[in-house]
Amino acid sequence: MTDNFAIELTDIDKRFGAVHANNKVCLQVKRGNIHGIVGENGAGKSTLMSILYGFYQADAGQIDVLGQAYTFTDSHQAIAAGIGMVHQHFMLVENFTVLENVILGSEGGALLAHGLAAARKELTRLGDEYGLKVDLDATIDTLSVGLQQRVEILKALYKGAKILILDEPTGVLTPQETDELFRIFGALKQQGVTIMLITHKLREIMSITDQVSVMRAGQMVAHRDTQATSREELAELMVGRKVLLQVNKKPGNGRAPLLKVKRLSVSDNQGIERLKDVSFELRAGEVLGVAGVSGNGQTELLEALSGIVPMTSGTIEVLGFKMDAKHPLTPDRLRELGLAHVPEDRHRMGLITDFSASESALLGYHTDPKINSGIWLSNRKVEANCQALMQSFDVRPADPHLKSANFSGGNQQKLILAREMERNPEVLLIGQPTRGVDIGAIEFIHQRIIDMRDAGKAVLLVSVELDEIMSVSDRIIVLCDGEISGRIDAADADERTLGMMMANALDPIDPLQTMDDQHASSGQASSQETQA
């Protein structure tokens, strides 16, 4: 290995039973550079990084770090070699302070006070040097997601990391927080830190990395200098075919409102208000996007609209039927009226992983006479129903008997989407439709959403992906701390404006201002209002 490389992986091989997760993978990462790694779900990225960080041991191959050969058997050895990893889901104790979280596991011996003082001094130095300042005495649960991520980076640097692996680091950040993170990357790079960035966001790869490597089906298929490639080429290398990165759609044709929400509030089991005075309308023939950092009321909105959780106050009118806190409609009744719901968390609410695909494909629709013979389900009809859904949405493998848990995340998602969308609902509520889904399936899912819109259906799309929101939606509302903090036509939206709305940094708006009011005030869509 030459001194030019921080990491050199040679012929890394790893199998899990019949699955060849890494097949003779080679990778060279230059010192002091930002190196992106991209690939579809199941391409082998996470397995490769887990081997580098000591979570897994390779069946064969060689690992060289900063000029020295290693065989890691656990992550402590990788940390000692100068590797740090910031996971997609942060490894922080919420009721501990920043300082306590950073030194956890390396407290400095029996004299804890001495260890804390030394750690405080070192963390202050690191914060000044890399622009990672954060209140060391603040408890984690009081910090924003962006600041929590800073703490994770500080933890790695405090333990001597010269190489940082970041797994989907911007998935829960606002655009402004993403910009700040990239500024931190620049400062780390200037100080000689090597960064390995795993992300599915090709725009970020193009804007921040020096080199990028592409994995497909367990193999490393390409290495590129970022300046010498494009998003289109990277997408094609990832999937093995040309991919349409922008949704091909005509302007929306919003007509009469099919869903009206007025002053909706929802509280959780502890009495904490999660949704506050939310009002909007959703029209036939349009996609209304709901943007916001995860955890700002999107889940409660979807679950209230679909009848899963009770509302505290306000009204919801679906296809002419009104419900309120005293007169709720059940999920079964809403489905009968023509409302379908694709939940945000496919494992918790979308399917039962121990069920076969054919069983998961009928959840919520088991009383349908097309698959139900009296009080008994017809196994033949259940399997035929699943087979038809799999064919329509290209679910692979097309095996109704296979356990739901044995499908990839993208194919699980397509099975749920098929179950809900093939029922031809008038109103579709859809949460995080492409979370954990590879780029080829994203293209397919987006087109199916637009097809529903063009057929005159009303679609409410909740997503933390701003590219998705801007590309698929016709109009957008933004939630911050359970309130609507902004409304905008998708054609007028950009990441900066949506980011300001997500941070509630724009002027407050009247909670009763409907989308009609906004269109009227801007002189737009008057024909739509006339139709309504």
Side-chain angles (χ1 to χ4, degrees), residues 38-40 42-44 214-221 236-241:
V38 298
E40 292 189 283
V214 184
M215 295 189 70
R216 186 170 73 237
Q219 295 181 304
M220 192 68 73
V221 296
E236 186 173 347
L237 288 167
M238 289 165 61
V239 179
R241 62 173 175 81

Side-chain angles (χ1 to χ4, degrees), residues 71-133:
T71 302
F72 297 135
T73 58
D74 58 45
S75 58
H76 296 293
Q77 294 175 347
I79 292 168
I83 300 173
M85 188 165 183
V86 177
H87 299 271
Q88 187 173 2
H89 303 289
F90 304 149
M91 307 291 186
L92 299 171
V93 182
E94 290 195 349
N95 59 346
F96 277 20
T97 67
V98 171
L99 181 60
E100 290 166 342
N101 268 278
V102 170
I103 70 166
L104 195 62
S106 54
E107 290 83 355
L111 299 176
L112 183 58
H114 176 74
L116 286 170
R120 184 181 295 274
K121 182 178 179 180
E122 175 63 8
L123 288 170
T124 301
R125 182 190 72 79
L126 290 171
D128 292 339
E129 184 172 349
Y130 297 113
L132 285 164
K133 291 185 179 180

Side-chain angles (χ1 to χ4, degrees), residues 304-336:
L305 295 178
S306 58
I308 295 172
V309 300
M311 64 184 82
T312 307
S313 60
T315 60
I316 299 171
E317 186 175 332
V318 182
L319 299 163
F321 291 81
K322 185 176 289 187
M323 59 179 175
D324 57 29
K326 293 183 178 179
H327 307 91
L329 295 176
T330 65
D332 283 347
R333 178 59 179 145
L334 288 166
R335 274 193 291 269
E336 290 173 2

Side-chain angles (χ1 to χ4, degrees), residues 41 342-353 360 363 407-414 416 419 431-438 445:
N41 295 337
V342 176
E344 293 177 290
D345 189 334
R346 57 178 166 263
H347 289 161
R348 186 173 68 89
M349 295 185 65
L351 48 76
I352 297 175
T353 55
S360 284
L363 291 176
F407 290 86
S408 70
N411 283 293
Q412 289 175 346
Q413 187 74 357
K414 286 196 286 186
I416 297 167
R419 181 184 70 209
Q432 314 300 346
T434 59
R435 174 177 283 167
V437 173
D438 59 52
I445 291 168

Side-chain angles (χ1 to χ4, degrees), residues 185-481:
F185 284 179
L188 291 166
K189 177 182 171 181
Q190 285 184 349
Q191 296 297 323
V193 176
T194 302
I195 297 172
M196 300 176 69
L197 176 64
I198 305 170
T199 180
H200 69 278
K201 299 180 180 180
L202 296 182
R203 179 183 295 183
E204 294 178 1
I205 287 289
M206 297 303 299
S207 68
I208 193 64
T209 64
D210 300 296
Q211 291 87 31
V212 55
S213 297
V214 184
M215 295 189 70
R216 186 170 73 237
Q219 295 181 304
M220 192 68 73
V221 296
H223 304 283
R224 296 285 188 273
D225 287 333
T226 305
Q227 291 183 343
T229 188
S230 65
R231 293 170 63 202
E232 289 75 16
E233 183 191 24
L234 292 176
E236 186 173 347
L237 288 167
M238 289 165 61
V239 179
R241 62 173 175 81
K242 288 189 178 297
V243 177
L244 185 65
L245 295 178
Q246 290 295 321
V247 177
N248 185 15
K249 67 174 184 177
K250 298 176 181 178
N253 184 25
R255 298 186 286 275
L258 300 183
L259 175 67
K260 298 179 182 180
V261 178
K262 186 174 181 180
R263 290 197 178 279
L264 175 64
S265 296
V266 174
S267 298
D268 63 17
N269 293 334
Q270 285 73 45
I272 300 172
E273 200 170 30
R274 298 298 184 184
L275 210 59
K276 308 168 186 176
D277 220 16
V278 168
S279 299
F280 64 86
E281 290 183 351
L282 172 62
R283 295 172 173 271
E286 72 168 356
V287 178
L288 176 61
V290 181
V293 176
S294 182
N296 276 268
Q298 301 97 313
T299 299
E300 289 77 11
L301 176 62
L302 286 172
E303 293 184 355
L305 295 178
S306 58
I308 295 172
V309 300
M311 64 184 82
T312 307
S313 60
T315 60
I316 299 171
E317 186 175 332
V318 182
L319 299 163
F321 291 81
K322 185 176 289 187
M323 59 179 175
D324 57 29
K326 293 183 178 179
H327 307 91
L329 295 176
T330 65
D332 283 347
R333 178 59 179 145
L334 288 166
R335 274 193 291 269
E336 290 173 2
L337 294 175
L339 180 142
H341 174 215
V342 176
E344 293 177 290
D345 189 334
R346 57 178 166 263
H347 289 161
R348 186 173 68 89
M349 295 185 65
L351 48 76
I352 297 175
T353 55
D354 284 339
F355 276 16
S356 69
S358 62
E359 292 169 327
S360 284
L362 60 82
L363 291 176
Y365 299 99
H366 52 279
T367 59
D368 186 342
K370 294 179 181 178
I371 55 175
N372 191 304
S373 302
I375 62 173
W376 304 106
L377 287 170
S378 165
N379 289 334
R380 180 181 57 81
K381 292 179 180 179
V382 167
E383 291 178 12
N385 169 70
C386 184
Q387 196 74 59
L389 295 180
M390 286 177 153
Q391 182 175 354
S392 177
F393 273 68
D394 191 29
V395 178
R396 304 177 189 177
D399 181 0
H401 302 100
L402 191 65
K403 280 181 61 173
S404 300
N406 293 337
F407 290 86
S408 70
N411 283 293
Q412 289 175 346
Q413 187 74 357
K414 286 196 286 186
L415 183 64
I416 297 167
L417 286 161
R419 181 184 70 209
E420 302 300 330
M421 296 173 76
E422 288 296 283
R423 292 280 167 174
N424 199 30
E426 294 301 316
V427 177
L428 175 66
L429 312 176
I430 184 167
Q432 314 300 346
T434 59
R435 174 177 283 167
V437 173
D438 59 52
I439 196 165
I442 289 173
E443 176 192 32
F444 177 89
I445 291 168
H446 284 172
Q447 191 56 54
R448 285 300 184 123
I449 293 172
I450 296 303
D451 290 345
M452 282 202 70
R453 180 203 73 163
D454 292 346
K457 312 303 182 181
V459 182
L460 184 78
L461 168 67
V462 171
S463 177
V464 295
E465 301 291 349
L466 292 189
D467 281 349
E468 180 167 66
I469 286 287
M470 291 187 292
S471 181
V472 179
S473 305
D474 299 300
R475 297 185 287 114
I476 301 168
I477 59 176
V478 181
L479 286 179
C480 178
D481 193 27

Side-chain angles (χ1 to χ4, degrees), residues 166-177:
L166 294 106
D167 186 8
E168 299 287 356
T170 65
V172 292
L173 302 183
T174 66
Q176 284 76 14
E177 288 173 326

